């Protein structure tokens, strides 16, 4: 798919829009055909850019046994701009705040168009295994994690039981 | 007076001699508009003490400067032009530091700038694996699949930077366009995750449409200008000129000069060439507002005679205080005992302070005990208690009064300056009228227009003298300054009145004489104020009553 260089701007814009939508659709197809273990992502019927996501807490982390719900939205500019992802399930984690917002570099300045929904979700799963209290989004949780990791893990486990059990 | 001019001129020129020479060198390279430059330089030989030396540069001439730097680096480091450009941009156009770093570690410098690939790391022991990462394997297979959009149509063209991370041309175009248009980013790194290679200018040109490439070039120029302390981009909307002002390049110089510059353009630039007819374009150039701004701070108008630090302090104070202060002044009084600010919103005049329980009369501010039962009306204005209370109140109000005194005059001149456009239109009409009613020609009635322009200019000066006076420490210097200010203000008001007066055909010759005389006088008073203040800054003569960045802290003094 390509367009001659000297096409009028409106045609060009339309072309880019269609091009981006194709990317969303083909990526969704691949996601459904070849799912990632421990992760599900399903687009809404009425909005192809809006996904319901679940991530299983990784084994060996305080979030083990938990299933966390997330929402993922692909903005108009995707894949040139990163997707917007948010936890819907409450979680006690230094890089995820009360509103479920996630502090992750690839969702911000380290975004690259070569990343996909799949890689983003895998990165989030990895973030659950390896919290980074030195770059916190929830300062109180991060403080807890730094000062008494064992106790913080206990709270994380409790929350997982309370809010994220199947 | 003329010897003074010469003295201060020499002084300034000596200080910035190096830059001057450098700038002239640059000029001689640009062969376009050489006549124009001569024309512009001429008046500067009689530069006044309050003016700074500056040059206006077009986008093309900045691009020439950039090319020169690129060429210089290319020659020294022996890299190609595109790499030299990337290196310079990444190192904020600091040539010395770049050369030093490059000599130290060329590979590291190139990689940091996105001009070269790092050596593949993982297979350390065996050096033979192909330099190209896996993505490049796909083009070799029969059908190319774009790694971004997974399109595998046979007609798509795979494109990649030197790193070999291929994607289809549509994805590249969308990516680079979005970087330039949405993020105003000139360094477009490769789309592959973790790849730091930056797209060369030719690659960008081949990937985007013409408008976007124009924007890209503008971004490069803006980046260059932002990196140079002696350059500043014109802040007027859609203007692409740059002003060079070496005299105001350092922060410390801003305590001695007020670098008001002008980029040479006027009015609003036409957004796209061709949308304006030639005559419209001409009108814009002649009548549009001059692009005048301060090189040293963010104020986009003339704030002479006061230096940036004080001007900004004043603007901040006005933003924070003026409305509140006005309201407090007109709606409240202070308790004569504890000085709490009180608003009376109903009830009788027998007030009891909520804080200190002091009982007093709202009318005379004296203690209530002196009033007995006369609460319905206060006829005790001269009672001692009342006089004392009003005294202490007036003291606490004095600082507010002082501020409002300066603020109201400042705001008044600002308002008048805003009305200047009306005045211009009105004067134009009067000038036509004069031509009809008298034998004067168009050129002969220009004195009116000149007078209006002068009044406008002086009001600008006057406006800022109030900001300056508010912060000046008490003393002889301030008295002298305010004397000059008063003389200028009086002259300006006289001239304004003359301009507003109705025109009687028989009086026109005398009016003309009067206006011309007054204009010259006003002009002289204005230069006295500007010159005296400017010299004061150079000599470090002014002392402030507040802390101003770059100046010594104020000496505490009696209120």
């Amino acid at each position: 798919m390509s367009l001659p260089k000297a096409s009028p701007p409106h045609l060009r814009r339309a072309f880019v829009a269609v091009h981006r939508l194709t990317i969303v659709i083909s990526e969704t197809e691949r996601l459904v055909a070849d799912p990632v273990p421990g992760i599900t992502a399903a687009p809404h019927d009425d909005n192809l850019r809006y996904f319901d996501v679940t991530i299983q807490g990784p084994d060996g982390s305080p979030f083990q046994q938990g299933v966390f719900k997330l929402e993922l939205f692909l903005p108009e500019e995707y894949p040139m701009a990163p997707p917007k992802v948010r936890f819907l399930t409450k979680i006690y984690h230094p890089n995820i705040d009360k509103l479920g917002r996630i502090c992750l570099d690839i969702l911000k300045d380290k975004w690259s168009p070569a990343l996909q929904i799949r890689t983003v979700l895998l990165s989030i799963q990895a973030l659950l295994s390896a919290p980074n209290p030195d770059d916190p989004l929830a300062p109180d949780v991060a403080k807890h994690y730094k000062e008494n990791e064992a106790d913080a893990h206990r709270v994380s486990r409790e929350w997982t039981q309370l809010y994220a059990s199947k | 007076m003329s010897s003074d001019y010469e003295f201060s001129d020499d002084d300034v020129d000596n200080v910035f001699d190096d830059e001057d020479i450098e700038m002239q060198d640059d000029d001689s390279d640009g062969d376009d508009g050489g006549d124009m430059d001569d024309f512009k330089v001429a008046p500067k030989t009689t530069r006044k003490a309050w003016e700074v030396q500056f040059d206006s540069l077009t986008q093309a001439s900045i691009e020439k400067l950039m090319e020169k730097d690129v060429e210089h680096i290319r020659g020294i480091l022996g890299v190609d032009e595109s790499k030299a450009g990337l290196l310079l941009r990444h190192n904020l156009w600091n040539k010395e530091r770049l050369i030093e770093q490059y000599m130290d570690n060329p590979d590291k410098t190139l990689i940091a700038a996105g001009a070269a690939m790092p050596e593949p790391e993982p297979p350390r022991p065996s050096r033979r694996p192909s330099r190209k990462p896996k993505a490049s394997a796909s083009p070799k297979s029969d059908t190319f699949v774009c790694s971004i959009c997974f399109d595998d149509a046979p007609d798509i063209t795979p494109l990649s930077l030197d790193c070999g991370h291929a994607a289809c041309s549509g994805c590249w175009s969308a990516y680079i366009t979005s970087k330039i248009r949405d993020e105003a980013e000139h360094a477009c790194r490769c789309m592959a995750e973790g790849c730091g290679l930056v797209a060369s200018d030719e690659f960008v040109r081949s990937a985007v449409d013409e408008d976007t490439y124009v924007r890209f070039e503008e971004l490069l120029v803006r980046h260059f200008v932002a990196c140079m302390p002696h350059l500043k981009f014109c802040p007027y909307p859609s203007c692409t000129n740059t002003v060079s002002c070496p005299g105001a390049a350092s922060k410390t110089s801003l305590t001695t000069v007020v670098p008001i510059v002008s980029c040479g353009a006027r009015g609003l630039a036409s957004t796209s060439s061709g949308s304006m007819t030639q005559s419209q374009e001409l009108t814009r150039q002649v009548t549009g507002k001059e692009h005048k701004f301060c090189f040293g701070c963010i104020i986009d108008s003339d704030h002479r005679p006061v230096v940036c630090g004080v001007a900004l302090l004043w603007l901040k104070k006005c933003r924070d205080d003026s409305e509140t202060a006005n309201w407090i002044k007109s709606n409240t009084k202070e308790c004569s005992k504890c000085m709490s600010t009180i608003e009376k919103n109903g009830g009788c005049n027998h007030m009891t302070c909520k804080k200190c329980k002091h009982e007093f009369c709202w009318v005379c501010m004296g203690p209530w005990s002196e009033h007995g039962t006369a609460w319905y009306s206060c006829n005790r204005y001269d009672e001692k208690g009342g006089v004392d209370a009003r005294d202490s109140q007036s003291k606490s109000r004095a600082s507010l009064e002082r501020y409002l005194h300066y603020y109201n005059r400042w705001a008044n001149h600002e308002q008048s300056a805003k009305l200047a456009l009306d005045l211009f239109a009105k004067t134009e009409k009067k000038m036509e009228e004069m031509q009809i009613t008298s034998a004067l020609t168009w050129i002969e009635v220009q004195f009116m227009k000149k007078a209006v322009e002068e009044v406008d200019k002086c009001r600008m000066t006057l406006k800022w003298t109030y900001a300056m006076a508010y912060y000046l420490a008490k003393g002889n210097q301030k008295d002298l300054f305010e004397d000059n200010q008063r003389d200028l203000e009086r002259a300006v008001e006289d001239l304004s009145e003359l301009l507003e007066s109705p025109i009687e055909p028989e009086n026109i010759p005398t009016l003309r004489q009067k206006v011309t005389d007054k204009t010259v006088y006003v002009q002289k008073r204005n230069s006295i104020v500007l010159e005296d203040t400017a010299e004061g800054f150079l000599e470090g003569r002014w002392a402030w009553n507040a802390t101003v960045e770059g100046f010594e802290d104020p000496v505490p003094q009696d209120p």
Side-chain angles (χ1 to χ4, degrees):
Chain A
M1 203 161 70
S2 64
L3 196 72
K5 279 218 73 67
S7 21
H10 68 276
L11 221 90
R12 207 162 175 88
R13 274 196 296 276
F15 171 79
V16 169
V18 170
H19 180 85
R20 286 174 178 172
L21 200 65
T22 340
I23 294 175
V24 170
I25 292 166
S26 64
E27 208 180 305
T28 310
E29 277 168 0
R30 282 164 58 102
L31 208 61
V32 173
D34 179 18
V36 191
I39 294 176
T40 66
H44 269 211
D45 293 337
D46 53 348
N47 185 350
L48 290 176
R49 293 182 176 274
Y50 189 91
F51 289 73
D52 285 324
V53 176
T54 66
I55 295 183
Q56 275 180 23
D59 289 351
S61 77
F63 309 100
Q64 192 176 342
Q65 308 280 311
V67 175
F68 296 88
K69 281 192 184 143
L70 294 90
E71 59 177 4
L72 183 147
F73 179 71
L74 303 176
E76 193 74 14
E77 298 81 24
Y78 180 84
M80 305 316 158
K84 300 187 188 311
V85 197
R86 191 170 78 91
F87 271 81
L88 297 174
T89 309
K90 261 172 92 78
I91 181 165
Y92 195 76
H93 189 288
N95 308 102
I96 299 160
D97 74 356
K98 270 191 289 209
L99 299 173
R101 293 177 298 194
I102 307 163
C103 177
L104 188 61
D105 56 356
I106 59 156
L107 290 177
K108 298 189 177 73
D109 53 323
K110 290 277 159 35
W111 171 253
S112 141
L115 292 167
Q116 298 163 19
I117 301 176
R118 169 194 306 270
T119 37
V120 166
L121 295 179
L122 277 170
S123 301
I124 293 173
Q125 199 178 34
L127 188 68
L128 294 186
S129 311
N132 179 11
D134 290 324
D135 183 20
L137 190 61
D140 45 333
V141 182
K143 195 162 167 256
H144 197 184
Y145 257 80
K146 282 187 87 150
E147 282 169 1
N148 189 347
E149 196 172 343
D151 192 54
H153 277 172
R154 181 189 56 78
V155 179
S156 292
R157 266 195 298 278
E158 269 176 31
W159 281 40
T160 308
Q161 285 246 310
L162 215 58
Y163 303 110
S165 52
K166 276 173 254 185
Chain B
M1 200 53 76
S2 62
S3 64
D4 276 347
Y5 282 159
E6 274 166 31
F7 173 73
S8 56
D9 257 0
D10 289 343
D11 215 25
V12 176
D13 280 344
N14 283 339
V15 175
F16 306 116
D17 237 293
D18 306 341
E19 283 92 340
D20 281 351
I21 289 164
E22 202 177 288
M23 290 318 296
Q24 275 156 17
D25 275 350
D26 296 337
D27 273 352
S28 61
D29 281 326
D31 49 357
D32 54 337
D35 295 346
M36 279 293 276
D37 280 350
D38 287 347
F39 190 67
K40 265 187 222 154
V41 168
K44 271 182 205 145
T45 48
T46 57
R47 187 158 49 90
K48 312 282 200 313
W50 65 87
E51 286 172 340
V52 288
Q53 174 134 25
F54 64 89
D55 270 303
S56 178
L57 304 160
T58 59
Q59 182 162 339
S61 45
I62 293 289
E63 273 164 4
K64 236 168 240 160
L65 289 180
M66 291 164 68
E67 268 166 38
K68 226 178 85 177
D69 277 5
V70 168
E71 190 59 31
H72 181 75
I73 288 298
R74 202 178 68 93
I76 289 186
L77 304 185
V79 290
D80 64 32
E81 190 184 315
S82 140
K83 278 190 176 146
L86 293 179
L87 282 171
L88 275 166
R89 284 174 219 161
H90 182 258
N91 288 285
L92 307 178
W93 295 90
N94 186 334
K95 283 186 278 183
E96 285 74 30
R97 210 183 51 198
L98 167 64
I99 293 169
E100 206 172 285
Q101 277 183 8
Y102 191 88
M103 293 308 172
D104 220 31
N105 191 342
D107 289 341
K108 200 175 144 205
T109 315
L110 279 168
I111 291 164
M117 285 283 292
E119 287 290 314
E121 267 174 40
R124 256 284 142 85
S126 58
R127 273 193 154 261
R128 56 187 157 62
S130 67
R131 286 192 300 112
K132 289 185 182 170
K134 333 165 208 124
S136 63
S138 39
K140 278 177 199 150
S141 61
D142 295 325
T143 49
F144 168 74
V145 183
C146 169
S147 61
I148 307 292
C149 64
F150 313 118
D151 199 346
D152 54 2
D155 62 331
I156 58 170
T157 20
L159 284 177
S160 73
L161 305 178
D162 290 349
C163 56
H165 298 133
C168 72
S169 56
C171 283
W172 271 114
S173 162
Y175 171 69
I176 295 182
T177 306
S178 127
K179 278 272 173 205
I180 293 168
R181 291 261 170 209
D182 304 342
E183 294 175 39
E185 176 65 66
H186 58 81
C188 304
R189 294 189 180 264
C190 168
M191 285 201 278
E193 189 200 353
C195 181
L197 213 63
V198 176
S200 67
D201 296 2
E202 297 89 83
F203 191 87
V204 171
R205 191 201 284 274
S206 70
V208 300
D209 57 78
E210 209 153 301
D211 284 354
T212 310
Y213 192 72
V214 168
R215 172 84 183 133
F216 174 72
E217 284 181 315
E218 196 188 313
L219 287 175
L220 289 180
V221 167
R222 278 182 183 261
H223 177 246
F224 176 78
V225 169
C227 291
M228 299 286 155
H230 71 277
L231 295 179
K232 192 171 173 179
F233 218 70
C234 174
Y236 282 75
S238 68
C239 183
T240 56
N241 286 347
T242 298
V243 168
S244 154
C245 181
S250 72
K251 251 207 140 86
T252 47
S253 66
L254 295 180
T255 58
T256 51
V257 289
V258 187
I260 302 302
V261 298
S262 153
C263 84
R266 281 172 175 275
L268 280 176
S270 49
T271 41
S272 63
S273 52
S275 69
M276 251 184 191
T277 64
Q278 207 164 8
S279 68
Q280 271 176 319
E281 176 75 19
L282 220 77
T283 336
R284 174 178 75 77
Q285 280 175 6
V286 175
T287 61
K289 203 168 148 246
E290 195 183 359
H291 291 188
K292 213 180 222 186
F293 58 96
C294 176
F295 193 89
C297 64
I298 46 144
I299 298 173
D300 55 3
S301 62
D302 188 347
H303 66 75
R304 277 179 298 213
V306 64
V307 287
C308 301
V310 177
L312 292 172
L313 206 63
W314 171 256
L315 284 182
K316 186 167 180 291
K317 181 160 180 70
C318 293
R319 239 194 333 271
D320 295 350
D321 286 0
S322 48
E323 284 313 305
T324 319
N326 271 320
W327 190 89
I328 289 175
K329 183 169 180 272
S330 46
N331 292 291
T332 69
K333 291 182 179 180
E334 274 125 32
C335 167
S336 46
K337 208 165 163 198
C338 72
M339 296 301 152
S340 311
T341 311
I342 297 167
E343 179 196 7
K344 181 168 156 28
N345 57 4
C348 70
N349 287 328
H350 178 180
M351 306 294 287
T352 306
C353 174
K354 214 171 185 173
K355 202 169 158 198
C356 67
K357 308 291 175 220
H358 175 58
E359 291 180 43
F360 63 95
C361 167
W362 185 254
V363 180
C364 73
M365 297 310 287
W368 189 256
S369 51
E370 287 173 10
H371 285 66
T373 51
W375 54 268
Y376 47 89
S377 75
C378 180
N379 52 3
R380 294 169 171 263
Y381 190 79
D382 292 330
E383 212 74 60
K384 190 180 170 296
V387 174
D388 286 353
R390 284 197 296 274
D391 259 9
S392 73
Q393 169 153 13
S394 63
K395 237 178 228 163
S396 80
R397 289 273 153 142
S399 72
L400 189 59
E401 289 278 351
R402 195 176 93 81
Y403 165 66
L404 285 174
H405 167 91
Y406 290 104
Y407 177 74
N408 287 334
R409 277 155 188 79
W410 187 80
N412 186 29
H413 282 299
E414 176 157 85
Q415 187 59 26
S416 305
K418 274 186 193 147
L419 295 175
L421 275 182
D422 281 355
L423 191 61
F424 268 117
K426 252 197 279 178
T427 313
E428 208 119 285
K429 262 207 197 101
K430 272 192 184 171
M431 283 157 71
E432 276 166 30
E433 203 179 308
M434 257 186 230
Q435 276 177 282
I436 299 164
T437 52
S438 70
L440 295 177
T441 65
W442 177 244
I443 289 172
E444 282 169 315
V445 294
Q446 287 299 315
F447 72 92
M448 286 291 274
K449 195 165 173 231
K450 188 146 185 284
V452 173
E453 277 170 5
E454 205 53 51
V455 166
D456 189 36
K457 218 195 274 173
C458 293
R459 284 203 188 279
M460 205 64 147
T461 313
L462 277 170
K463 182 176 112 174
W464 287 102
T465 56
Y466 282 106
M468 173 129 175
Y470 178 78
Y471 286 111
L472 271 183
K474 267 188 191 170
N476 286 342
Q477 297 296 347
K478 183 176 183 179
D479 291 346
L480 285 172
F481 179 78
E482 287 191 320
D483 282 349
N484 280 335
Q485 180 190 38
R486 186 200 54 218
D487 289 345
L488 173 60
E489 187 153 46
R490 193 182 288 159
V492 168
E493 293 307 334
D494 283 355
L495 181 56
S496 275
E497 207 180 321
L498 271 180
L499 290 174
E500 298 279 356
S501 63
I503 298 171
E504 315 280 341
E506 63 274 16
N507 288 343
I508 286 179
T510 38
L511 180 72
R512 185 179 171 206
Q513 192 55 49
K514 268 194 199 162
V515 169
T516 315
D517 287 351
K518 265 283 180 226
T519 309
V520 172
Y521 179 64
V522 162
Q523 215 167 8
K524 214 177 117 203
R525 297 269 26 140
N526 192 23
S527 22
I528 288 174
V529 170
L530 289 173
E531 191 189 313
D532 182 60
T533 332
E535 278 172 3
F537 281 120
L538 282 174
E539 294 161 13
R541 196 189 326 142
W542 306 115
W544 310 104
N545 56 24
T547 311
V548 181
E549 209 190 325
F551 287 90
E552 280 172 26
D553 275 352
V555 190
Q557 48 181 312
D558 303 329

